[in-house]
Every structure is written in structure tokens, then in C-alpha cells.
């Protein structure tokens, strides 16, 4: 069983729970490590856990029938995902793959459903989480259909700073250009060109091993004025 302090560090939603609810959450969570390129789960899997990123980086996406990869979202430390499939008790509809060595918390479905049925605080969190995730996916659909590569990459980075979905985000993002390309669905070379353009426009600063965001508002709306 993980400690209460550890739970509160890895799961911002736990701070809204009562002491009794925290005990249920603690008892229902284990952690597992995944290596770079390893699948957390694949589309069609029966994966009876709600999952949260303790550390590392993962990509939520899929592969179309013609073999084209599609990125739906990046997953950084503090992000929890998969609640829709757990609630509906259905096979997963997308893949989640670790882009670097990652550690992931896994909550058993029985604990998740107990919290869903008994905890007001947990349900408040779920409503916010589902609403934000829906908005993220609708925004991604618009971006992929109407904006150029630089704008897609800018919006992809900005999405990692949603305070509901990624409550532990800071201005500095530890991520490589190759990883940014993977999250944005483009090659490292194209990602590099887009990042350099965004840096020249003063939206971010490229640094060794990461990116520092200088203007999240402009990054999140990039392409609207074009």
C-alpha cells in the first residue's frame, strides 16, 4: 500500500478526498515501470485499471488501417487517464506507449468504482477531467484539419499545460525535440524547424534537455491570426 503523502504527490485529485476515501485509494493503487517504447496498453486490450503518470512521458494515440500514426495527447507526470474505459468497463479505444522510461500508478477498477459511487470530491474531479479531455480532443480535431505543422506543434505543447489534466506542470518542460515530434505526429526534423520558428517569435526557449515556455497564451492560440 502506498503512503498517504505519496498519494497526494502523484494524484492531485486525492487532496479532495476524505480520510476514509484516501484509505480506499491507497489500498487500490500499485505502481509499475515501463521502458522506452513499451506499451502500457493497446487498443482492444482489457485493461482494468485507471492510470496516472508518476514520472516519465507517454503518448496516447493509435494507428489507422493504412498504418498512419495519430497522436491524441501527451501524458506527463501528474496526468491521469483512461477513466472513460473504466467507467464503461470496455476494451481500450487507443494505445498508450511510453516515450521514455516511465513509472505509472495503476488503480484497480474496484477501488475506482467505489470512489465513483461514494465520493463527492472524486466525482467533482471526474466531471472536470472529462470536460477538459473532451475539449482537448475537440481542439485537436480542429487543429489537425485547419492548421499548418508549426501551429499543430505549438498547440500540442500548449496542451501539456492544461492545469486540470496536467496539474504538476511548470514553465520548463523536460522533453527532447524527438519526443515533441512524436507527440505532435511529425518527424524530428520538422519538429526542429517548427520549434526554431516558435523560438524566434518569442513563444518559447529551447534549452538542453527541454523547453521553457515564455508565452503560453500565444502558444495555445497559435495560428488563429494567420
Amino acid at each position: 500500500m502506498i503512503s498517504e503523502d505519496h498519494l497526494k504527490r502523484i494524484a492531485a485529485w486525492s487532496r479532495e478526498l476524505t480520510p476514509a476515501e484516501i484509505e480506499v485509494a491507497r489500498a487500490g493503487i500499485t505502481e509499475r515501470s515501463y521502458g522506452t517504447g513499451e506499451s502500457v496498453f493497446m487498443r482492444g486490450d482489457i485493461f482494468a485499471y485507471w492510470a496516472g503518470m508518476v514520472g516519465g512521458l507517454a503518448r496516447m494515440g493509435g494507428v489507422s488501417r493504412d498504418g498512419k500514426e495519430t497522436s491524441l495527447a501527451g501524458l506527463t507526470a501528474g496526468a491521469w487517464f483512461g477513466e472513460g474505459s473504466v467507467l464503461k468497463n470496455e476494451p481500450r479505444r487507443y494505445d498508450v506507449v511510453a516515450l521514455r522510461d516511465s513509472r505509472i500508478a495503476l488503480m484497480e477498477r474496484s477501488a475506482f468504482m467505489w470512489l465513483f459511487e461514494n465520493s463527492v470530491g472524486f466525482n467533482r474531479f471526474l466531471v472536470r477531467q472529462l470536460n477538459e479531455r473532451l475539449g482537448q480532443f475537440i481542439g485537436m480535431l480542429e487543429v489537425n484539419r485547419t492548421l499548418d505543422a508549426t501551429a499543430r506543434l505549438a498547440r500540442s505543447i500548449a496542451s501539456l499545460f492544461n492545469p486540470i489534466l496536467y496539474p504538476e506542470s511548470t514553465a520548463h518542460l523536460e522533453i527532447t525535440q524527438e519526443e515533441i515530434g512524436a507527440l505532435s505526429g511529425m518527424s524530428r526534423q520538422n519538429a526542429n524547424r517548427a520549434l526554431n520558428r516558435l523560438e524566434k517569435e518569442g513563444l518559447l526557449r529551447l534549452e538542453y534537455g527541454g523547453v521553457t515556455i515564455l508565452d503560453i497564451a500565444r502558444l495555445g492560440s497559435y495560428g488563429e491570426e494567420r
Side-chain angles (χ1 to χ4, degrees):
M1 181 185 294
I2 63 174
S3 71
E4 181 175 342
D5 286 344
H6 184 62
L7 175 64
K8 290 181 177 179
R9 283 197 299 271
I10 68 173
W13 50 265
S14 68
R15 300 161 197 167
E16 301 183 44
L17 304 186
T18 67
E21 292 162 358
I22 286 174
E23 291 305 303
V24 172
R26 289 176 57 206
I29 291 177
T30 56
E31 293 185 8
R32 179 179 170 184
S33 295
Y34 293 83
T36 302
E38 187 175 356
S39 293
V40 179
F41 56 77
M42 300 182 68
R43 182 176 180 178
D45 282 354
I46 303 297
F47 185 79
Y49 297 96
W50 187 42
M53 297 293 296
V54 177
L57 179 70
R59 179 178 65 85
M60 180 188 296
V63 180
S64 66
R65 293 180 179 177
D66 60 3
K68 182 179 179 181
E69 287 191 353
T70 300
S71 291
L72 297 176
L75 299 165
T76 58
W80 285 75
F81 56 95
E83 58 277 347
S85 295
V86 175
L87 282 168
K88 291 182 283 187
N89 197 25
E90 67 178 12
R92 298 299 162 127
R93 294 176 175 266
Y94 50 82
D95 307 327
V96 169
V97 177
L99 294 182
R100 70 170 75 134
D101 290 351
S102 300
R103 191 160 180 82
I104 297 179
L106 304 172
M107 176 183 278
E108 297 174 353
R109 185 173 187 270
S110 58
F112 178 96
M113 293 306 298
W114 188 95
L115 291 170
F116 173 66
E117 292 167 357
N118 294 279
S119 173
V120 173
F122 189 68
N123 275 278
R124 288 197 189 105
F125 163 79
L126 282 181
V127 170
R128 294 195 301 270
Q129 171 95 344
L130 290 166
N131 186 53
E132 291 295 331
R133 188 70 76 190
L134 177 61
Q136 181 186 48
F137 288 163
I138 290 174
M140 181 204 65
L141 182 62
E142 177 187 13
V143 165
N144 286 341
R145 288 184 175 180
T146 63
L147 300 180
D148 64 17
T150 300
R152 292 200 304 273
L153 182 138
R155 301 291 187 92
S156 178
I157 295 174
S159 71
L160 298 177
F161 292 85
N162 182 300
I164 303 299
L165 299 175
Y166 308 96
E168 306 303 322
S169 295
T170 63
H172 179 75
L173 184 64
E174 293 185 359
I175 190 170
T176 67
Q177 294 185 21
E178 184 175 1
E179 290 168 343
I180 291 174
L183 293 179
S184 306
M186 61 180 68
S187 68
R188 179 178 179 177
Q189 291 76 15
N190 288 335
N192 179 265
R193 283 193 290 269
L195 286 167
N196 284 319
R197 180 175 174 181
L198 294 172
E199 183 175 42
K200 288 178 181 178
E201 295 184 28
L203 277 70
L204 51 79
R205 182 172 62 247
L206 299 177
E207 300 170 345
Y208 180 76
V211 174
T212 293
I213 306 306
L214 303 177
D215 194 331
I216 187 62
R218 286 179 60 201
L219 200 67
S221 62
Y222 193 89
E224 289 182 0
E225 72 282 0
R226 297 173 182 274

